[in-house]
Amino acid sequence: MTIEHLIAFNAALLLAVASPGPALLVALQTSLAEGRAAGFAVGCGLATMASLWTLLALLGLDAVFTLVPWAFGAAKIIGALYLIWIAVGMWRGAKRPLQAREPVPFRRAYRTGFVINLLNPKSVLFSAAVLVVIFPPEMALGENLFVMANHFVVEVVAYGTLACVMTTPAVAQRYLAAKAWIDRGAALVLGALGLRLLLSR
């Protein structure tokens, strides 16, 4: 493994993080609705599970899904239903005004992010596709662990930056002014992603 391999992987990873999907949408909505600390905690949870998927892909878990397709199917159904459940909650709370409340515990926000990526089995297939193209085959365990750690750090920095930007006074004020529309739009997108995942072959 060389530095060129890591640069290529990180470039692909940043593009994946920035692409619209459940992880980015939940990170955005949490940062806007719950604040910077909660947005960062969700990002840490997303990064933890995504980096674990990368490690498992390096160790060959994608082959397990290929050999045992029902396992992928079961994970896909559970993940789709979880996304739809989150979407319903967002829709119901769209018109509810934000009120002063206790800060969201780090553990709860972290768990939300972790579960989002845990129930997204396509993450490991994407990771596997990228890893096969970028990294040389049969890397040592230490190299695999380094790639995992690198993945975690990149995502934490990306989601931490996102949480800081989205909670600036100007952005937060605009969110409050359009909260109902933003939350319901996010709910529709998440629900559509869940249905697409549920119905996809």
Side-chain angles (χ1 to χ4, degrees):
M1 182 177 67
T2 66
I3 188 64
E4 287 79 11
H5 292 135
L6 279 178
I7 292 173
F9 174 69
N10 288 341
L13 178 57
L14 287 172
L15 288 174
V17 169
S19 63
L24 180 65
L25 200 56
V26 169
L28 284 170
Q29 205 274 343
T30 301
S31 296
L32 286 167
E34 306 291 347
R36 184 175 300 176
F40 178 72
V42 164
C44 288
L46 290 167
T48 300
M49 191 61 237
S51 59
L52 285 172
W53 277 131
T54 289
L55 177 62
L56 293 172
L58 285 167
L59 298 176
L61 183 61
D62 59 310
V64 174
F65 279 144
T66 301
L67 293 173
V68 190
W70 65 263
F72 178 78
K76 186 179 71 168
I77 291 171
I78 295 171
L81 294 176
Y82 184 67
L83 289 179
I84 294 170
W85 179 73
I86 292 177
V88 170
M90 281 186 183
W91 183 274
R92 288 180 174 175
K95 288 191 174 182
R96 193 178 305 146
L98 290 180
Q99 300 174 346
R101 53 188 169 185
E102 292 295 321
V104 176
F106 182 95
R107 181 183 300 178
R108 193 177 83 188
Y110 176 91
R111 184 172 61 243
T112 297
F114 187 89
V115 173
I116 284 288
N117 270 345
L118 173 65
L119 298 177
N120 185 15
K122 289 190 176 181
S123 295
V124 72
L125 301 182
F126 170 80
S127 297
V130 172
L131 295 168
V132 167
V133 172
I134 293 177
F135 290 108
E138 299 179 359
M139 291 195 303
L141 178 59
E143 292 177 311
N144 291 337
L145 292 174
F146 183 83
V147 172
M148 174 191 171
N150 168 83
H151 184 153
F152 176 79
V153 170
V154 169
E155 287 213 12
V156 166
V157 171
Y159 287 120
T161 302
L162 179 69
C164 289
V165 171
M166 299 309 294
T167 53
T168 56
V171 175
Q173 186 176 3
R174 290 178 182 176
Y175 167 71
L176 289 174
K179 177 181 182 297
W181 292 100
I182 293 173
D183 285 6
R184 286 191 169 173
L188 287 174
V189 173
L190 273 180
L193 288 170
L195 287 173
R196 181 180 177 183
L197 183 59
L198 189 64
L199 299 175
S200 64
R201 301 182 64 180

